Amino acid sequence: MCEGSKMDSYEHYGQGRRSTQYPGLIFLCDHASNAIPSAYGNLALPQGLLQTHIAYDIGAATVTRALADSYGAPAILARWSRLLVDLNRGADDPTIVMKLSDGSIIPGNRSADAAEIAHRIAQFHAPYHHAIADNIAALQADGIVPVLISMHSFTPSWKGASRPWDIGILWDRDDRLAKPLLSGFARAGFTVGDNEPYRGALENDCLYTHGTMGGLPHVLIEIRQDLIGTDEHAHALAVRIAAVLDDALA
């Protein structure tokens, strides 16, 4: 089952732009959307569940576009829900097509066999990663070092426990952006998690593939979803994030 072309699997926001101040900047949003191609019939999920964190990173797309506009930089965003295929997972990850998420069975994934998973990877996952690689290659061809900023958001509570962090900085081996962002967000009054609420070291994930393996500066910024649950709040927080990011990039 498929819908549209492979180019429809991602949104290339601000295509062709390069930041005048930081020309290597590329913003990414792996979990930007909760949409499901109509051929998949919402994966047999009730619409209410598609509005929750299991389907996408609430508010992350709005923050990503706002930051991309602020810097005049491009952004590459997922067009379909993480429940269809998770763009932040390696193609060999057994959780790339989730059959159970936060206690909810995903009926449309329950019978997804190896052939169906391979189809989703080819149709939706691979084009997104090819777009990132193409953007990186174009910058490098012009002698510019790409800088990858991946935007995510996390649910305020998990398994009954509240999460205290406003923002999390996820990183693996490269601390060029992580360390100044950790201190910068703390100075700005945020409760900031160092590799919280998740670990940044996930082999073959998006930033491992495009950042770590290429030796490029990169970082993943997680934002608690209640801080960006409306467009107004998301735009306001993007302004505060940009102020901290400016210092880290400098």
Side-chain angles (χ1 to χ4, degrees):
M1 293 185 291
C2 64
E3 177 174 290
S5 70
K6 292 183 180 182
M7 285 295 291
D8 293 330
S9 65
Y10 61 89
E11 174 191 351
H12 198 164
Y13 186 77
Q15 185 172 9
R17 292 195 305 202
R18 285 187 186 176
S19 170
T20 54
Q21 189 174 8
Y22 307 111
L25 268 183
I26 305 172
F27 289 95
L28 308 175
C29 194
D30 306 329
H31 301 149
S33 175
N34 62 346
I36 306 287
S38 61
Y40 285 88
N42 279 0
L43 298 174
L45 286 168
Q47 190 62 38
L49 269 181
L50 291 177
Q51 305 304 318
T52 71
H53 71 95
I54 73 167
Y56 72 128
D57 282 0
I58 295 166
T62 302
V63 174
T64 301
R65 294 188 188 99
L67 288 170
D69 285 339
S70 176
Y71 285 100
I76 302 171
L77 302 95
R79 194 176 295 279
W80 306 113
S81 171
R82 65 194 300 170
L83 295 178
L84 180 72
V85 63
D86 194 331
L87 302 182
N88 192 37
R89 296 289 183 266
D92 60 346
D93 192 310
T95 67
I96 195 168
V97 173
M98 293 289 288
K99 300 187 178 185
L100 179 71
S101 181
D102 195 14
S104 294
I105 294 171
I106 315 302
N109 291 345
R110 191 163 40 192
S111 61
D113 58 12
E116 171 60 20
I117 292 171
H119 170 76
R120 294 191 199 182
I121 290 170
Q123 188 71 21
F124 306 110
H125 183 277
Y128 177 79
H129 288 279
H130 288 157
I132 297 171
D134 287 348
N135 273 252
I136 289 171
L139 289 168
Q140 291 175 324
D142 290 339
I144 298 169
V145 176
V147 178
L148 306 178
I149 311 291
S150 183
M151 303 303 303
H152 289 248
S153 71
F154 62 94
T155 182
S157 63
W158 181 251
K159 298 188 183 303
S162 295
R163 288 163 151 176
W165 311 282
D166 302 315
I167 285 178
I169 301 301
L170 276 55
W171 60 289
D172 184 6
R173 307 173 193 174
D174 189 335
D175 64 2
R176 283 175 286 180
L177 282 172
K179 288 298 178 68
L181 284 174
L182 285 165
S183 57
F185 279 119
R187 286 194 304 271
F190 291 93
T191 300
V192 58
D194 184 353
N195 272 325
E196 297 286 1
Y198 310 108
R199 299 289 301 169
L202 181 59
E203 189 169 339
N204 293 329
D205 72 353
C206 185
L207 287 185
Y208 180 92
T209 299
H210 299 289
T212 301
M213 290 294 93
L216 303 179
H218 62 279
V219 72
L220 192 154
I221 300 175
E222 288 269 6
I223 308 166
R224 204 175 68 225
Q225 289 168 356
D226 58 321
L227 301 178
I228 53 173
T230 68
D231 284 352
E232 180 182 3
H233 289 158
H235 280 283
L237 196 63
V239 172
R240 297 182 66 192
I241 290 172
V244 175
L245 191 53
D246 275 342
D247 289 340
L249 291 168

